[in-house]
Amino acid sequence: MNISIKKGKNQTVIDYLLLTILTTFPIAINISFFSPKDFVHPLISVNLSISDFLLLIALIIWLLKILIYKELRQIKLPIPPILVFVGIATLSIVNASSISDSIKELIKIVEYFIVFYILLINNLKNTKLNSIKNLLFITTTIILLIAFVQYSILKGSPYLIRGLFDNRNILGAYLCMTIPLVFAELLYEKNLYRKIWFLLMLFTSATIILSSSALLALVICLFIVSTFHSKSAIFKYAIGIVFLTLIYYYVLPQKNRNSLKEFGSIYEEGNVSENYYKTLTVLYDLKKTIYFNKMIGKNKLVVSNFLLTSSIMPQIRKGDAYADMNGERHLKNRYLEMRAALNMIANNGLLGAGLGNFQNQINVNYVGLPKINTEEPDQHNGYLLIGATTGIMGLTALFWTFFSTLRNIYKKFKNLNNSNKKLYLGLLGAIIAIMIENFFTSIFISILLVPFITLLYLSTKNSPDEVVF
Amino acid sequence: MHTVKKILDLFIEISFFLILLIFSFSYLQISLKQHLIFIPLLLFISIKLFSKINLAKIEFWIIFLAVVMMFVFDFSEKVDFIQKFNISIEENKRVPLSTIVLSFALLSFLIKIQIDGKFMISNHPFAIYFIMSGIFLSLLLSIFFPILMVKYQLGIESYLHLLNKILKYSCILLLTTNYLNNDDKIKRLNIGIIASLGFIIITTLLRII
C-alpha cells in the first residue's frame, strides 16, 4: 500500500514537472564569456533554458521510478518517423567537419525529440488533454501580454517586440503553433467569457505579430481550419480578414505595414554597407586567422573567407579600394544562404554536411561576396537547413514526421464526435502553420521545440503508431 | 517473352553487382569516420543473411537495401578510373562509370515495363517521403533557377548537380524495389554488399597497418 502511494507521488511530481516545462520554456539564461579586447562578440555563448533543468530532474525521477518498480517493458517509444529522424541526424555526424558542433546539436535533438517526447507519452496519463491545452493558452496569453506591452512602449526596432523570445520571428513561429488551437476552440466555444478571452488573444496576436511570414502562415491555416469546420466559419473568417485588413491600413502604426513590406526581403537586392568593406579590409590586412578565430569566437567569423577573399580580390589592400563597389547592389544574405544550402545538399547528397555544421560549411558553398557577417542568423528555411545538414535522408524523415502527424490528426478529426473535434481541428491548423512557417523561420531551436513536441504528443496520444517494446 | 524478361532481370542484377564492384575501388575516398557506419552495416547485413526469415516479405528491408545501394552508388561515382588507368578523355566529357552502368540497368528496366505493362511503386512511408523530398528540392530549384539565370547571371552547375543526384537516387529506389521481389535475389544482393564492404574494410585495415 505504502509503495503504491509513493509511486503515485513520484508520478505526480513528474507530471507537475512536465506541466511546468510547458509554462516556463521561454525563460532562458544566457551565459557568455567575452574577451577583454572584444565586448561585442562572445567567445562562448550558451543559452540555458529553465526547462532544461526541469527536464533533467523529471528524467532522473522517471528513470528511478522505472528501475524501482520494474516498468521497463511498459515504456512507450516515439513514433517511427521521429526515431528515423534522430537516427539519420546521428549518422550525419560522420560527414561533420566540426564534431563538437554536431554533438551540441545532437544533444538538443535527443533532449527534445527523444527524452521530452518519451517523458510526455509515458507520463501525464491522469492529465486531461484539455488541461494541457488550457495551460498552453495561459502561457500564450502571458506571452501576448508581454509582447503587447513591448509593442505599446518600445518605438525602436521591430525585433524588440518579441514576448519572451529572442526576436519577432520566433514569437511569430510560436504563435503559429498555438493560435490555430485558439481559433478552433473559439469556433466550438459556447461560454461567453472564454469566447471573449480567445477573441482578445486573436486580436492581440494579429496586432503584435511583426513577422510577416508567421502572419501569412496563420492567414492560410486559419482559412483551412474554417473550411474544415463549416460554411459559417468561412464567413466569420472572411469578416475577420476584412476587419484585419482595414485596421492594418487605417488604425495600426507604420511598423505593422513595414513588416508586411519586408516579406519580399529574401529576393530583395540591397546596398552593401560600408562596414562590410571595412571589416573585409581589416581581415585581409591582418592575415592572422587563428588570432581572429580565438578573439572573436569560432561561430562569429568564417575563417576560410580569407582564402576566398585573397583568391577573388588579390589587389585590394585598403578600404578605399572598395570605393568602386560602394553603392553596388547585391543579393541579400538570406537568399545567398538558401543558395548555399542547396549547394551543400548537392555536394553531400544523402547524409548532408553533418548535423549542426551549417555555418561551418557555408563558406565553401557561399556564392557572391565573402560571408563575414555571421551575425546574420542561421539558415531561415528549416527544410533547407535540415536538408543541408542531414541530407536528403534527414529531409525525408522530416517530411515523414510532418505528414504522418497530419494524417493521424485528420483520422482522429474524422472519427471523433463534435466535443472532441476542436482539439484535432486546432492541431491540424497548427501543424499546417508550422509547415508553412518553417519555410521562413527554422523551428529547430530549443525554445520552439518544447511547444512543437507538445503538439506532436497531443496529436499522437493513444495513437496506434506508438511502438511498445 | 519469359526468356526476354529473365535476360532483362539478369542485366539489372549484373548492373547492381558492377556498381558494387566499382564501389570496392572507392576505398581511397572513404574516411575513417565513414567506416564507423560501414562496420555495423556489414554486421547487420551478415546477421540478416543468415536469418531464416523471408526477407522479401519485409518491406522495410527492401527499402533499407535501396538506401544502402544509394550510398554505394554515391561512393562509386567518386571512383576516378581515368586517373587510375591514365585514360585520355577530356574533362568535360567524363561520365562516372557507375552512371553508365545505371543507365543500362534503367534501360533494361524500361523495356521490362513495356513487356509487363506494369511496375511497382513501394508504398512504404520512407519511399513515399523520399520521393516527396526530391520533388520538394526540385521545386525549390525551379523557383530559384530563373532568378539566378536571368537576373543575376549566376552559375547553375551545382543546381544541375543536385537535380542529377535526385534523379539518380529516385531511379535506384525504383529499380531496387522492383528488382528485389524474391528472397533469393535479396540474399544474392546481400552477399554482394557484404563482399564489397568487407573488401573496403580489409583494404583500409591493411593500409593502416
Side-chain angles (χ1 to χ4, degrees), chain A residues 302-322:
Chain A
V302 180
V303 176
S304 62
N305 275 326
F306 275 129
L307 303 173
L308 199 63
T309 313
S310 54
S311 62
I312 291 173
M313 296 178 280
Q315 302 302 319
I316 293 166
R317 288 281 168 186
K318 296 288 170 194
D320 290 345
Y322 295 104

Side-chain angles (χ1 to χ4, degrees), chain A residues 32 35 53 70 90 123 142 162 167 198 217 269 286 341 397 429 442:
Chain A
S32 301
S35 153
F53 294 116
K70 291 169 185 160
T90 314
N123 297 291
I142 295 165
R162 57 190 184 179
N167 60 54
F198 296 141
E269 290 176 349
L286 269 169
S442 170

